[in-house]
Amino acid sequence: TRSVILSVAAAFFNPLATLIAMVASVIYRIIIGGDGAIAGVLSIMTATGIGMLWRVLRRKYMKKNVFLEFLIVGFIVHVVVVLCQFALPWEKAMIVIPEILLPYLTLYPLVGAILGIALKNQIDRLEASDKIRQSELLLKASLESPSNLIMCSLDKNYNHLTFNEMHVHFMKHEFGSDVALQTNFLENLNNEEYFQNFKSKFELVLQKHPITMIYECQKIEGIKYVEVSINPIVDEHDKVIGLTLFGQDISEKRRREEEILHISYHDFLTNLYNRRYFSESIESLKNMDLPVTFVIADINGLKLTNDAFGHYFGDELIILVSKTFQKFFRKEDIICRSGGDEFIIAMKNSSKQDAVNIIEKIKNSLGATVFHGISISVSFGVATMTEINKDVETMKLAEVEMYRN
């Protein structure tokens, strides 16, 4: 029994603990004394040594049939233990060895194998449980660490499997729903339009078509836009078993992009459209926009104003004129500051007379305005395009008319 326990313990437990157990057993056997003291000490030390050697070797040469492995090692241990009995006085050894030979070489190896299997199964369960706990902690840490990342995983019926606190917060404040394990994501939306929208996307993802979309928040404070990535969860057999949602708050990124886009398409002084925006808009004109009337306007005497009063007053004059244009031209008209004192306006679905009527209102308004003791004068030229891709020629006609005025 002692040899079985020591050899198996040496194979599974910490080497230091095994050595302590061996030393304690050796001391105890010496204290007992008698003719069998030497044989007993040798049995303890060899059984422990074989167990420790087995611990090292089985890492490199792991057998598929674990029970047979334990049985063979148990047999070797007890063969050595039997040989240790030759340390007894000869007459006594000749009596003891025949008596113990059969059980030591049959029953004890079997008991050792059974004990080894039991210990191995228990250790495997403990290690598996520990790995699961570590995986759960790692998963939880991964889910919770990005403060602006919304994460959840769903089964094929769209029930929640895992989620982080940000997801709970988002669903509560955006949809007014409480998320829990096995609650249905679509039902948590509390909105038929969103229900159908997400359902159609989930169905595509379950067919192995990942989706990335921008969700515009309606209720939650502090978050305007969320970039949502939806991906399938695939098992080792390449079968889709669910899906994951990763949502990232991109409100600030989107705000910066919109700010950059605004700057690239607007005049910094007047906040009117710039020539780049105007050119791209004209290129996208269609037959349904015809007729398109172009108005070209030029502030008279801007250079004199700059020379007499300084560029600050000149900028004030430009801003005043631009605000007057915004006041009288229609909302759908494209008003552009194309240069220092020049403006271009494109009026879709309008005639030359429509433009002339607006220009008259602008002239009257500016004529009634006194700017630092001087009157404001703006020259206008008007021409109407009735065919697509005639914008350059039409704007030249408007420019010619403007210079005549």
Side-chain angles (χ1 to χ4, degrees):
T1 304
R2 180 179 57 203
S3 57
V4 170
I5 294 174
L6 285 171
S7 60
V8 172
F12 289 104
F13 296 113
N14 185 283
L16 180 60
T18 303
L19 288 173
I20 292 172
M22 182 192 74
V23 170
S25 299
V26 168
I27 292 173
Y28 177 73
R29 187 63 190 85
I30 291 173
I31 292 172
I32 293 174
D35 293 337
I38 296 176
V41 169
L42 289 174
S43 298
I44 292 169
M45 295 178 67
T46 53
T48 304
I50 292 171
M52 294 179 73
L53 180 62
W54 175 32
R55 176 189 178 90
V56 175
L57 294 177
R58 75 185 308 268
R59 291 176 181 174
K60 298 181 180 179
Y61 311 105
M62 185 69 72
K63 302 291 191 300
K64 291 184 178 180
N65 191 330
V66 180
F67 180 79
L68 181 61
E69 174 195 346
F70 290 172
L71 192 64
I72 292 172
V73 172
F75 181 79
I76 293 171
V77 167
H78 287 91
V79 166
V80 174
V81 170
V82 169
L83 293 176
C84 289
Q85 304 313 306
F86 283 103
L88 291 167
W90 184 254
E91 296 80 6
K92 199 166 188 178
M94 291 300 100
I95 297 172
V96 171
I97 291 174
E99 290 181 355
I100 66 172
L101 187 63
L102 184 60
Y104 267 49
L105 299 184
T106 55
L107 180 61
Y108 284 9
L110 182 61
V111 171
I114 295 171
L115 180 60
I117 289 290
L119 272 173
K120 182 179 182 302
N121 289 340
Q122 182 62 21
I123 289 171
D124 288 346
R125 280 194 294 270
L126 290 172
E127 288 178 349
S129 178
D130 187 54
K131 286 180 180 178
I132 291 171
R133 282 196 299 271
Q134 290 178 4
S135 298
E136 288 175 346
L137 289 172
L138 181 61
L139 176 61
K140 185 176 181 180
S142 300
L143 290 174
E144 300 297 346
S145 56
S147 59
N148 67 336
L149 203 60
I150 302 164
M151 292 187 283
C152 73
S153 61
L154 312 175
D155 62 21
K156 292 183 70 174
N157 296 317
Y158 316 134
N159 297 316
H160 284 92
L161 299 174
T162 57
F163 47 83
N164 66 350
E165 285 299 320
M166 189 60 184
H167 178 67
V168 175
H169 174 81
F170 181 83
M171 296 297 287
K172 178 69 175 178
H173 291 83
E174 181 69 9
F175 300 107
S177 60
D178 295 317
V179 174
L181 291 175
Q182 293 304 314
T183 56
N184 190 275
F185 179 93
L186 297 178
E187 293 175 0
N188 285 143
L189 298 177
N190 296 324
N191 182 293
E192 183 62 27
E193 182 182 350
Y194 290 146
F195 182 101
Q196 296 299 333
N197 187 19
F198 274 94
K199 184 180 179 183
S200 63
K201 288 177 170 54
F202 287 172
E203 288 172 351
L204 281 174
V205 173
L206 291 179
Q207 296 173 24
K208 296 185 179 180
H209 298 294
I211 288 176
T212 298
M213 55 181 271
I214 303 297
Y215 174 79
E216 187 172 355
C217 303
Q218 304 299 320
K219 298 179 181 179
I220 190 168
E221 293 184 5
I223 302 177
K224 182 62 177 175
Y225 297 102
V226 175
E227 184 178 65
V228 182
S229 297
I230 313 173
N231 296 279
I233 302 173
V234 182
D235 65 10
E236 64 273 16
H237 304 296
D238 201 34
K239 181 180 178 182
V240 177
I241 58 174
L243 51 89
T244 59
L245 281 86
F246 291 85
Q248 186 166 14
D249 177 11
I250 59 167
S251 305
E252 182 60 23
K253 176 185 175 184
R254 189 70 174 260
R255 187 193 66 76
R256 288 196 300 268
E257 289 174 350
E258 290 175 351
E259 185 177 325
I260 292 170
L261 186 64
H262 181 87
I263 292 171
S264 67
Y265 282 131
H266 288 78
D267 174 56
F268 74 95
L269 180 63
T270 63
N271 205 36
L272 295 176
Y273 290 120
N274 58 19
R275 185 138 200 145
R276 176 187 177 187
Y277 180 86
F278 187 86
S279 299
E280 291 182 8
S281 299
I282 297 307
E283 289 176 3
S284 63
L285 287 174
K286 298 179 175 58
N287 282 318
M288 66 182 69
D289 299 318
L290 297 175
V292 177
T293 297
F294 293 103
V295 178
I296 294 183
D298 187 280
I299 302 174
N300 297 322
L302 179 63
K303 185 177 184 305
L304 292 174
T305 302
N306 286 333
D307 292 342
F309 301 102
H311 286 275
Y312 176 79
F313 289 96
D315 289 346
E316 275 192 2
L317 178 57
I318 293 170
I319 294 170
L320 176 60
V321 172
S322 68
K323 286 183 177 179
T324 306
F325 286 177
Q326 288 175 306
K327 179 180 178 181
F328 289 100
F329 280 108
R330 304 171 305 179
K331 288 184 178 180
E332 61 268 28
D333 296 336
I334 303 170
I335 308 170
C336 158
R337 182 189 176 201
S338 57
D341 58 358
E342 189 173 290
F343 300 82
I344 306 176
I345 300 93
M347 302 174 63
K348 299 178 184 178
N349 299 306
S350 63
S351 65
K352 183 173 182 177
Q353 188 58 48
D354 294 330
V356 169
N357 292 338
I358 292 174
I359 289 169
E360 285 303 316
K361 294 177 183 179
I362 292 172
K363 284 182 176 181
N364 291 334
S365 176
L366 292 175
T369 303
V370 178
F371 179 75
H372 293 286
I374 63 172
S375 59
I376 303 171
S377 173
V378 178
S379 298
F380 292 93
V382 182
T384 301
M385 180 178 72
T386 56
E387 296 178 39
I388 287 294
N389 299 325
K390 295 291 184 179
D391 48 286
V392 175
E393 296 90 334
T394 306
M395 282 189 282
K396 282 183 179 179
L397 292 174
E399 188 174 21
V400 170
E401 182 177 298
M402 187 264 296
Y403 282 121
R404 281 204 305 264
N405 295 328

